[in-house]
Amino acid sequence: MTRILVTTDGSPLGHLALDHAHLLADALHADVVALYVQVDPALALAGEFAYVPPADPVALTAEADAMGAELRARCPGARVRVEDAHGLGVPQVILRAATAEHVDLIVMSTHGRSGLGRMLLGSVAEGVLHASPVPVLLVRAGQVPAPWSSEPVGVGGSVC
């Protein structure tokens, strides 16, 4: 494994995936690509059945710049991508980035929504998981990053 894509939505839960990916990448000596997909909040709420004027481009640019700076600070040495969804679904943007970056693994957080919340908001993680050409590591709230080791399986212990 040489390249890991880690995504975040900018929330505290979304940022949990950053720690998991960083530790795994260190153990595997892999490169990290950190991705934030920017969605126009008005369009995300309106859906496809209503017209809502897009958000202020200056505000969207400022948000993208701030998130890029935050990811560079949180993920030193990672390649940082801030992508505008341009009306695409977030899962599609993540999968396009994974393909463009030739990644071996996608690491992302999941909110674990169910019922009405899942029906209304959808599941980005599920969309990526079902269509990804590479393995996906999902991080849930409360999961502590594992102490990954690059020691080969079976060295110093039994093989499962």
Side-chain angles (χ1 to χ4, degrees), residues 44-105:
L45 292 174
E48 59 187 52
F49 301 107
Y51 172 76
V52 176
D56 174 22
V58 174
L60 289 175
T61 299
E63 175 193 333
D65 291 346
M67 183 53 68
E70 182 177 349
L71 286 176
R72 280 186 285 285
R74 285 180 173 265
C75 305
R79 180 165 145 61
V80 172
R81 290 178 65 140
V82 176
E83 299 283 333
D84 186 331
H86 292 293
L88 294 174
V90 174
Q92 289 81 11
V93 177
I94 293 170
L95 293 169
R96 282 185 178 184
T99 300
E101 294 288 345
H102 306 288
V103 302
D104 303 301
L105 175 71

Side-chain angles (χ1 to χ4, degrees), residues 13 20 53 59 70 72 98 117 124 134 139 145 150:
L13 176 60
H20 286 265
E70 182 177 349
R72 280 186 285 285
V124 172
V134 298
V139 177
S150 59

